[in-house]
Amino acid sequence: MTETSPLNKCMEPTTTFGFIASGMETPLTEIQDFDRVMQVYWPRVLRFVMASVRDRDVAETLTQDCFWNAYKYRNSFRGDSSLNTWLMQIALNGVRKFVRNRRLQFWRQVQRSAVDSSVMSNWLPDHGISPEARTLVDEQVRTVWNATRNLSGRQRTVFLLRFMEDMNIFEIAQTTGLTENAVNVHLFRAVRAVRKSIEELP
Amino acid sequence: MSEHLSHDQITKWIAGQSTAEEEQHGLECPECSAALNRFRESVLTFRFAMKDWSEREIVPRLDETSGGLLRRHRSQPPLRWALVTMMAALLMGIPIYEHMRKPATLTESVTNFQAENAVNDDVRLMEEVNTHLSRPLPLPMERVMALLPNGVEQLGLAQGAEGTEGKEIR
């Protein structure tokens, strides 16, 4: 068994896992400059929450809540895990709470600003690619977006943390509170489901 | 390993759960690599799109976040406010209603009591009148007659005889 995925070798390296690359600060010193923490981690938390709840307004609110809670309880952060993992834990708790409330409030139209897969096309920057290539890219993004929607909550979380946030199994286990074996099982199932959707692409 | 990787083996390989032998085969075999590349290309595009979108979003400053949160917590949704107002009105209304209701009940009961008393007085008066009229003798005479043995009967007989005589005289 090997811990490294062939995908990682091909993906561009992510900045850090808990350490801001330039300064190589420890998580405890890093958290002191909270404005900088927000600059670095806000996009990560936002896209993770967005891909989890699929509602732009809710994603922004939950991200705001995540950083507000992190700021309030920053003194209780002992640096046992990386700052990235800690923030993702807080964000995931927010997502879980939101999903639980949404289940209870099923009669309400919660997803007023829900993101449809067609809207995602507008997110893609135009880097001067041809219309044909653009169509293909749109289709790929939409396929993965729709495939992750059909995953169970845990499978989606594990998939997003692994392939969107590039976290390793240990970090995912820390963030989700699952064992590494459980993470592997959820990841395997998630990859199998997403692969099935991708293979159905023309 | 001469055979191609199975669907699940490729999935394990993507998930980083394959054996060294499977991984080696995957890297060397064009067909198995194609399956990996297909997945990788789609996931990378998705990842790039999400990353690009999230990094284009404006990151608020901490004071803006806290200010926004405080405002958000302060401004409750209208429905919630309506419910709170209704509950408050209900809680305040119940004692007021009870308070307003109690004097009315008292007045009613007093009126009823007075009316009942009036009826009872009338009944009592009528009974007294009936008793008075039904007496064979006036009240002072009854005491005297009580002293006589069989006074009332005798008197009644005597009165009857006298009455007859009297009628006859007339």
Side-chain angles (χ1 to χ4, degrees), chain A residues 11 19 28 37 40 54 63 82 90 103 114 136 148:
Chain A
M11 288 175 172
F19 292 85
L28 283 175
V37 167
V40 172
R54 290 154 184 274
T63 307
S82 67
I90 298 170
R103 275 190 204 134
L136 179 67
T148 53

Side-chain angles (χ1 to χ4, degrees), chain A residues 89 92 96 172-179:
Chain A
Q89 270 178 351
L92 184 59
R96 282 174 179 161
I172 296 170
Q174 273 193 320
T175 305
T176 56
L178 297 168
T179 61

Side-chain angles (χ1 to χ4, degrees), chain A residues 106-123:
Chain A
F106 60 92
W107 64 87
R108 284 173 62 181
Q109 186 66 29
V110 178
Q111 290 200 322
R112 279 169 298 196
S113 52
V115 175
D116 186 56
S117 58
S118 58
V119 179
M120 286 196 69
S121 307
N122 302 327
W123 298 357

Side-chain angles (χ1 to χ4, degrees), chain A residues 169-185:
Chain A
I169 302 297
F170 176 71
E171 287 169 323
I172 296 170
Q174 273 193 320
T175 305
T176 56
L178 297 168
T179 61
E180 290 186 43
N181 280 340
V183 170
N184 277 322
V185 169

Side-chain angles (χ1 to χ4, degrees), chain A residues 82-149:
Chain A
S82 67
L83 192 51
N84 186 51
T85 304
W86 187 61
L87 288 170
M88 285 298 181
Q89 270 178 351
I90 298 170
L92 184 59
N93 284 339
V95 168
R96 282 174 179 161
K97 197 174 165 188
F98 167 76
V99 172
R100 208 165 39 236
N101 288 343
R102 189 170 56 182
R103 275 190 204 134
L104 291 173
Q105 298 174 344
F106 60 92
W107 64 87
R108 284 173 62 181
Q109 186 66 29
V110 178
Q111 290 200 322
R112 279 169 298 196
S113 52
V115 175
D116 186 56
S117 58
S118 58
V119 179
M120 286 196 69
S121 307
N122 302 327
W123 298 357
L124 293 167
D126 188 5
H127 290 305
I129 55 173
S130 66
E132 292 81 15
R134 173 89 193 185
T135 309
L136 179 67
V137 165
D138 280 358
E139 197 63 40
Q140 286 175 333
V141 172
R142 202 175 298 165
T143 303
V144 178
W145 178 259
N146 288 336
T148 53
R149 183 180 53 200

